[in-house]
Amino acid sequence: MVRNKSIAKAKQRWFADRYAQNAQFVSQMAYPLIELLNPKKGETILDLGCGNGALTKLISQKGANVIGVDASEDQILATKNLGITAIVMDGHKLAFRPVFDAILTNAALHWMTAPIDVLSGIRHALKPSGRLIGEMGGIGNIEKITSEIYASLRRRGLENHIEFPWYFPSQKEYKTHLENQGFYVKYINLFSRPTPLPGHFSDWMDTFAECFLLVLPEDDRAEFKKEVTDNLRPDLFDPIKGWVADYVRLRFSAVRR
Ligand code: BEZ
């Protein structure tokens, strides 16, 4: 593949306090994953992309020995502050021997744009017959949001200045990746999950789409957010529910062969 040298890699920053304020819904909406994981006392479990450790803590409360990994130092500090063992690690470069009975990953895999590297590391970290339970953005995720972000970048001649930061696969594509990396796929499902946001849409942009704001001159960022927000309002703002993001989830359960 020929890469356009002027396209910058997306830089997303994670601040634990901002995440705690604007993103609690991420773990709260993932409780069905914990049921799917069904952690048992004494099991050793990895939470890949643990964020601020909210789900990691729930797993540990079930009696499992859990470790969280995340690429953000700030989030790992927040997880450690919950009394959980946590390590800063890039999900593309997992460096574990096969010690885990299960791996959980919620709302993290779509930030890792080289899925084969990630799944290969996951496979090496799992014991034979180890479980992988995951949820991520799937094809069509935040389509309205990204289309307005890119329209606003285009108006500024900047649409080619930043790589698309996310990986939102189809069910078929991800099932194939899982199978090729040595997993038996027990369950995989793509579903639409309109997601009410706790605050204003511009808070969502600050928290989850800052990588786009960072390519803009500082004095244009507020106007950019206003433009995207105004254009999304007819589709994503509900007078009763408030802002509702157009999330599509890909949820799966697989077993290492
Ligand atoms: C999500 O689907 O969870 C998501 C995707 C991109 C940015 C933020 C959240």
Side-chain angles (χ1 to χ4, degrees):
M1 188 176 83
V2 180
R3 205 176 232 149
N4 180 343
K5 284 203 179 129
S6 69
I7 296 191
K9 220 164 167 43
K11 277 198 205 99
Q12 179 68 24
R13 300 182 303 177
W14 298 102
F15 300 110
D17 51 352
R18 185 170 74 178
Y19 195 85
Q21 197 173 340
N22 299 326
Q24 272 196 43
F25 69 91
V26 175
S27 52
Q28 284 165 351
M29 294 187 90
Y31 295 158
L33 276 192
I34 301 287
E35 276 172 39
L36 209 52
L37 174 69
N38 189 19
K40 300 189 191 68
K41 200 165 185 243
E43 281 191 325
T44 302
I45 296 182
L46 177 69
D47 184 356
L48 168 58
C50 63
N52 62 5
L55 285 181
T56 334
K57 175 92 185 167
L58 266 183
I59 300 168
S60 87
Q61 285 167 343
K62 304 269 181 194
N65 306 308
V66 64
I67 297 178
V69 294
D70 200 282
S72 156
E73 276 181 34
D74 213 35
Q75 296 279 59
I76 286 298
L77 203 58
T79 302
K80 282 183 174 167
N81 286 340
L82 298 176
I84 299 213
T85 305
I87 308 169
V88 178
M89 200 180 281
D90 177 347
H92 294 96
K93 296 177 188 154
L94 291 180
F96 293 105
R97 287 188 299 159
V99 292
F100 294 103
D101 297 293
I103 297 182
L104 177 91
T105 178
N106 176 49
L109 291 180
H110 50 247
W111 291 99
M112 302 172 203
T113 51
I116 294 171
D117 294 349
V118 177
L119 285 172
S120 160
I122 289 176
R123 185 178 191 283
H124 279 101
L126 278 172
K127 294 176 183 169
S129 302
R131 299 147 10 239
L132 169 62
I133 308 297
E135 190 169 303
M136 66 193 291
I139 189 166
N141 192 39
I142 56 167
E143 210 160 75
K144 288 180 178 149
I145 294 174
T146 45
S147 131
E148 286 306 334
I149 288 176
Y150 273 91
S152 288
L153 286 174
R154 204 170 307 119
R155 278 180 215 113
R156 290 160 173 79
L158 292 174
E159 77 271 31
N160 292 323
H161 278 54
I162 173 168
E163 276 187 0
F164 191 77
W166 302 302
Y167 170 60
F168 299 141
S170 70
Q171 189 171 317
K172 186 162 174 253
E173 176 179 331
Y174 209 69
K175 183 167 187 272
T176 303
H177 283 326
L178 283 162
E179 287 172 347
N180 288 345
Q181 292 305 314
F183 289 92
Y184 164 69
V185 180
K186 287 173 75 177
Y187 162 91
I188 184 160
N189 189 28
L190 181 79
F191 58 97
S192 164
R193 194 201 65 194
T195 298
L197 302 178
H200 194 273
F201 182 72
S202 63
D203 298 331
W204 185 94
M205 287 192 74
D206 285 335
T207 310
F208 295 108
E210 198 196 21
C211 50
F212 295 103
L213 303 175
L214 293 175
V215 299
L216 300 168
E218 218 170 321
D219 60 3
D220 187 30
R221 291 178 192 166
E223 177 54 33
F224 181 88
K225 282 194 278 183
K226 182 176 181 320
E227 192 178 304
V228 174
T229 302
D230 287 349
N231 291 333
L232 283 171
R233 191 178 298 277
D235 280 327
L236 299 188
F237 185 77
D238 178 285
I240 294 166
K241 294 183 189 150
W243 285 96
V244 180
D246 53 338
Y247 279 23
V248 174
R249 304 286 88 186
L250 183 63
R251 184 181 291 172
F252 54 87
S253 162
V255 175
R256 192 201 133 166
R257 288 186 190 278

